[in-house]
Amino acid sequence: MSTRKFRVGIIGGGGIAQAVHIPGWRNLPEAEIVGIADVSEATAKKAAEAAGGAQVFTDYRELLKLDLDAVDICTPNKIHTPAALAALTAGKHVLCEKPLAVSTAEVRQIGQLADKKKLNLMTAQHQRFTAPGRAVKAWVDGGNLGEVYHARVRAMRRAWLPPAPGFIDAKLAGGGPCMDIGVHALDLCLWLMGFPKPVRVSGTSKTNFAKGHDMPNRWGEWDRARYSVEDFAAGFVHFDNGATLVLEAAWMGHQKDDEELLAQLFGRKGGVSWPSGEFAAAPNAVLAQGTLALPEHVPHPHWHEIAAFHDCVVNGKPSPVPWTETINVIGILEAVYASSQQGGEITLKL
Ligand SMILES: NC(=O)c1ccc[n+]([C@@H]2O[C@H](COP(=O)([O-])OP(=O)(O)OC[C@H]3O[C@@H](n4cnc5c(N)ncnc54)[C@H](O)[C@@H]3O)[C@@H](O)[C@H]2O)c1
């Protein structure tokens, strides 16, 4: 019996890699992290140590020369596309942090290359692997919603602006809260809706607080001169099946809650909210509501996401988060920005 383990290389060894991806891979006995590439050698070394002694690289092209089964990309958003294209070209399966890319053109380029090379490509949308994500999805798949005619998506923070350049510099991030946290709630909501095709989007994106000094930030100071993404965005989406969706995302704003992450679906038969699991319906014309029983606690949703990626690669299963779904998420976010810039409704052909 072969004792060869599933060999993983990580590109970008910073916050999310060290917090959840490295522990997630180490939690899989069948896998080993053999190399870490980070433009910061100190970060790569720290991550390699956390990975149990992986090789260190400052150029991911060198990492890709190793005998690897898969590459896990945890760099700032704008590096996702060149890193993913290079990894796929080198014949490696790819798990990539969200957003897979910051434009539909890039998502398509990465996805089509993965398809051509018959390699697995998964966007790391870990909210699908949380206890509420799974419970609400099971309820929806049980036919309890009926036809969905409207949804609300909120990713609204009061004063949690991530100060790292990878989030606030448009050249690295490609977008602000829309791309950072809006992407989580929107992916979750579209997944629950069964991914209808978005066809028209209007939106606005603004920087209300992040250029000034009148809002404190729970994560401390940030470089206002370098700040070049929105801190608030909102959009209205029409789908090909007639359904609509309202989207709101912000890192800063005057509201009571520190953070509200919400997907709320309205169907003809019932309605449901994620992550609360609250539902409403009217069986036999009697108003009824309740809260879904959630599994006790799903530890480390990122670990489950990594295990699901590993499973699909080794067992030849389809990607748990395929690019053909991700392109709808990015298409909506891209159109919110385009609509804000152009001042009109954007027609999508995804
Ligand atoms: N799923 C989640 O909950 C979640 C949470 C946080 C971040 N993220 C995503 O993870 C990604 C990374 O975020 P983070 O918080 O870890 O950021 P980070 O800044 O802590 O880490 C990013 C790392 O990438 C490195 N890097 C930059 N350019 C590189 C290149 N060309 N080659 C190799 N390494 C390079 C940086 O030096 C840094 O160490 C982002 O896309 C972000 O959206 C996801």
Side-chain angles (χ1 to χ4, degrees):
M1 202 174 84
S2 165
T3 54
R4 184 186 183 282
K5 289 196 173 186
F6 186 84
R7 293 166 63 82
V8 181
I10 295 182
I11 303 181
I16 196 72
Q18 290 184 38
V20 290
H21 284 251
I22 291 170
W25 283 112
R26 294 202 76 182
N27 181 53
L28 272 185
E30 313 90 316
E32 62 179 334
I33 302 167
V34 294
I36 311 250
D38 197 296
V39 284
S40 156
E41 190 173 13
T43 303
K45 278 185 176 159
K46 197 167 165 215
E49 207 174 298
Q55 287 186 64
V56 168
F57 300 87
T58 51
D59 183 339
Y60 63 72
R61 290 169 300 187
E62 295 301 315
L63 167 80
L64 294 176
K65 290 178 185 165
L66 295 184
D67 168 24
L68 300 174
D69 295 297
V71 167
D72 183 357
I73 300 171
C74 299
T75 61
N77 302 344
K78 281 267 189 141
I79 320 294
H80 292 180
T81 297
L85 292 175
L88 292 165
T89 302
K92 324 298 185 201
H93 300 278
V94 169
L95 172 65
C96 182
E97 257 305 338
K98 39 56 62 175
L100 175 59
V102 296
S103 73
T104 48
E106 289 171 282
V107 170
R108 189 171 284 109
Q109 194 186 0
I110 299 168
Q112 288 180 343
L113 181 59
D115 289 353
K116 188 173 152 203
K117 307 268 287 179
K118 297 193 170 27
L119 292 165
N120 217 297
L121 170 66
M122 174 179 174
T123 312
Q125 298 289 173
H126 76 277
Q127 296 292 349
R128 297 194 191 188
F129 298 88
T130 57
R134 290 165 186 230
V136 175
K137 177 71 170 155
W139 190 81
V140 170
D141 287 351
N144 292 297
L145 274 182
E147 183 195 341
V148 177
Y149 58 88
H150 184 63
R152 291 172 67 207
V153 169
R154 302 193 93 215
M156 297 288 282
R157 288 187 184 155
R158 183 177 186 182
W160 291 102
L161 180 153
F167 291 90
I168 65 167
D169 185 335
K171 288 199 291 297
L172 291 171
C178 250
M179 286 291 171
D180 180 36
I181 50 177
V183 76
H184 282 305
L186 182 59
D187 176 80
L188 205 290
C189 189
L190 295 182
W191 181 56
L192 294 174
M193 291 171 82
F195 278 97
K197 277 281 164 210
V199 288
R200 286 182 289 128
V201 176
S202 58
T204 183
S205 102
K206 293 187 168 137
T207 308
N208 293 311
F209 300 99
K211 285 298 226 183
H213 293 266
D214 54 352
M215 186 68 107
N217 185 25
R218 302 256 201 237
W219 276 323
E221 275 305 306
W222 68 98
D223 184 344
R224 285 161 180 79
R226 200 165 178 183
Y227 196 94
S228 44
V229 293
E230 86 282 4
D231 62 19
F232 166 78
F236 191 83
V237 184
H238 294 266
F239 296 93
D240 62 352
N241 61 1
T244 48
L245 180 151
V246 173
L247 161 79
E248 294 161 297
W251 281 333
M252 288 186 156
H254 294 303
Q255 61 178 40
K256 182 174 70 61
D257 297 330
D258 267 356
E259 179 178 79
E260 187 188 13
L261 211 52
L262 168 82
Q264 184 175 13
L265 285 82
F266 296 87
R268 302 233 179 258
K269 195 169 160 197
V272 70
S273 290
W274 168 88
S276 70
E278 288 165 349
F279 64 89
N284 305 316
V286 177
L287 294 178
Q289 62 281 320
T291 304
L292 298 178
L294 301 182
E296 279 285 293
H297 174 61
V298 177
H300 306 294
H302 290 90
W303 295 18
H304 288 285
E305 155 201 290
I306 284 166
F309 172 70
H310 172 262
D311 178 48
C312 80
V313 173
V314 298
N315 295 311
K317 295 181 184 171
S319 169
V321 187
W323 71 271
T324 45
E325 292 180 357
T326 296
I327 200 162
N328 298 290
V329 179
I330 302 304
I332 289 172
L333 299 180
E334 185 181 44
V336 165
Y337 293 140
S339 167
S340 187
Q341 263 182 358
Q342 296 167 26
E345 194 177 64
I346 303 294
T347 300
L348 291 181
K349 288 193 185 66
L350 295 175

